[in-house]
Amino acid sequence: MSEIAKHWIDGDWTGSGTVSESINPATGEVLGQWADGGEAEARAAIAAARRAFDTSPWSRDPSLRNQALNQLATASKPEPRRWARW
C-alpha cells in the first residue's frame, strides 16, 4: 500500500494524530489511508489561509481571483470521451 495521504497546510504536508482507511467492501482490501483532520489541523489551515489572503495581492486584485476561477472551470469541464470509457 502507498504512504498515508496528508494535509497540505501552510506550504507543508502535515499528518495528524489519527489515520483512517478506505476499504474495498468486496474484498476487505485497504485501498488507501489518510490523516484525519481535527480541530488542530482546521485551525492551522484557517490561520494559513488568512495569512496568505492578507499578505498577497489575491485579496486586493479581483482579476487574479477571476483568472483562477476561470482556469478551474475550464479544467473541470467534462470530457465526453474520457467519461465514455467509464
Side-chain angles (χ1 to χ4, degrees), residues 8-11 38-56:
W8 182 254
I9 300 175
D10 205 13
E39 183 178 347
E41 291 80 20
R43 288 184 183 279
I46 292 166
R50 180 84 259 170
R51 278 191 308 279
F53 190 79
D54 290 344
T55 61
S56 74

Side-chain angles (χ1 to χ4, degrees), residues 27-65:
T27 65
E29 174 190 9
V30 175
L31 301 173
Q33 296 179 315
W34 65 90
D36 281 339
E39 183 178 347
E41 291 80 20
R43 288 184 183 279
I46 292 166
R50 180 84 259 170
R51 278 191 308 279
F53 190 79
D54 290 344
T55 61
S56 74
W58 180 264
S59 62
R60 296 176 298 282
D61 187 348
S63 68
L64 289 175
R65 296 191 300 276

